[in-house]
Amino acid sequence: MMTYSPSRLDTYRQCPQKFKFHYIDHLSSPTEGIESFMGSRVHETLERLYCGLRYNKVLSLPEVLADYKQRWESEWHDHVQIIREGLTPDDYLYVGEQCLTDYYHRYAPFNQSRTLGVEYPLRFSLDPSGKYVMQGNVDRLSQPKEDVIWIHDYKAKGFLPTQDTVDADRQLAYYQMGVQQLWPQTKEVVLVWHYLIFDREFHSSRTQASLEALRQETIALIQEIESATTFPPKQSSLCDWCEYRNICPLFRHLYETSTLPKSTYEKEEGVALVNRLAALQAEEVSLGIEMDKVKEALCAYAAQKGVETVFSKTHKARIRTYDNTQFPGRNDNGRQALETLLKREGKWEEVSSLNTVALSKALQNGAWGLELSSEVQKHGTPHKSLWVKVFPLDEGAKEHRF
Ligand code: SF4
């Protein structure tokens, strides 16, 4: 079984497809967002600052900034990506310098507490048998007084969280579980976030009951991941920053067609099908045979290419396949036995006159429980349903970002 970390679990929660790319297929992306690049350099400089304190060496602010700049220059690579228009690497370099300057002025000479560790590796178990193991590196652990431990996390993100957001944060709650396992005599654990861009410090704490709820929820999530056979893409605003966009089934078609010459672009099969479907939809030929044919061709194209969204310059079509059960029609074999079963179980009224669509839905949403569902399933045959919908693209829509 995998060892899990807060970021591994969060990746799965955010998007199972991204989790698969990263943690199962081990696909590394050559690109790195500049926000992440800048955050890493700031973290490294703060690590150096606190390591020096162990030997009573307090770096001056110019030394801190020189350390940051030297790391920036030595780590810089050609694949650092800037998403926000109009910003340059120097703009981000400056933001990092400002973060460190504000931090320095706020905490120098850094004697608020004893530092127990920086980039401290925690490894702990979620269950007594040691089956579900978690690990992670804490930015800094400190001890302001006997039997009290503060868990620090530096954030170089450009948004300020609410107190509710930090109170619901899982990452440091996991670290609290680890700290309590390693040092059970600890009387109090405080979770501390340093939002460096805003020069703000947030505090939060967790009750043992909330940690227990998180522990159980996490074990259930790990069990779900370990038994998952499919890892569907989950579109969200975070897709804009996803390093796997160019291979993701929701965006890959856009990237693959972006390099086509103008003369062949409109003729590309997927582009042509989406445009045809959009035109038919505009003509409101929704029940026409041609519409069905175009949808079928689009589904075949998507299956062959391994994509779920197909783009043209003006539209995109989403194609989904889901497992379903097809039941015998009114005059088919097996119909009578199915009706008898449903009447016996008192479910007949719910699908009156045996609406097989309603029956499929009742099974799909799991409302009838495992035992009855599997007995009803025996009367049907597995079937794949397809769903195709075409949407207009806005001018300059996010999908067009490369
Ligand atoms: S682009 Fe979005 S949907 Fe695709 S893998 Fe990344 S996070 Fe998931």
Side-chain angles (χ1 to χ4, degrees), residues 117-134:
V118 288
E119 282 299 310
Y120 194 91
L122 275 182
R123 193 178 165 87
F124 58 99
S125 177
L126 292 172
D127 63 312
S129 69
K131 186 173 175 191
Y132 302 101
V133 176
M134 297 272 298

Side-chain angles (χ1 to χ4, degrees), residues 14-19 21 232-236 238-251:
Q14 180 201 330
C15 172
Q17 174 71 84
K18 184 175 178 181
F19 176 89
F21 284 146
K234 192 162 143 189
Q235 192 165 359
S236 71
L238 298 172
C239 291
D240 267 2
W241 281 268
C242 177
E243 61 271 40
Y244 300 109
R245 274 176 69 95
N246 61 337
I247 54 170
C248 169
L250 298 188
F251 298 99

Side-chain angles (χ1 to χ4, degrees), residues 84-122:
R84 293 186 195 283
E85 274 177 32
L87 293 181
T88 67
D90 278 352
D91 294 325
Y92 286 91
L93 174 69
Y94 170 78
V95 171
E97 284 171 347
Q98 201 54 48
C99 287
L100 290 165
T101 304
D102 289 342
Y103 189 91
Y104 197 95
H105 287 143
R106 181 187 266 262
Y107 298 107
F110 312 103
N111 57 1
Q112 294 82 6
S113 57
R114 179 186 292 269
T115 297
L116 301 180
V118 288
E119 282 299 310
Y120 194 91
L122 275 182

Side-chain angles (χ1 to χ4, degrees), residues 254-319:
L254 193 60
Y255 285 77
E256 285 177 354
T257 53
S258 70
T259 52
L260 291 177
K262 218 174 170 186
S263 54
T264 53
Y265 175 80
E266 294 291 337
K267 293 185 194 136
E268 195 273 341
E269 188 183 352
V271 173
L273 284 168
V274 171
N275 281 337
R276 184 69 197 130
L277 192 56
L280 289 171
Q281 194 161 283
E283 291 165 22
E284 295 182 347
V285 200
S286 56
L287 297 174
I289 295 170
E290 190 178 357
M291 173 79 96
D292 289 344
K293 277 191 181 157
V294 175
K295 282 187 177 177
E296 271 172 33
L298 207 41
C299 289
Y301 173 88
Q304 183 216 335
K305 295 276 182 186
V307 297
E308 292 183 18
T309 309
V310 181
F311 295 84
S312 74
K313 281 272 182 260
T314 54
H315 288 77
K316 66 175 179 180
R318 283 294 307 270
I319 298 109

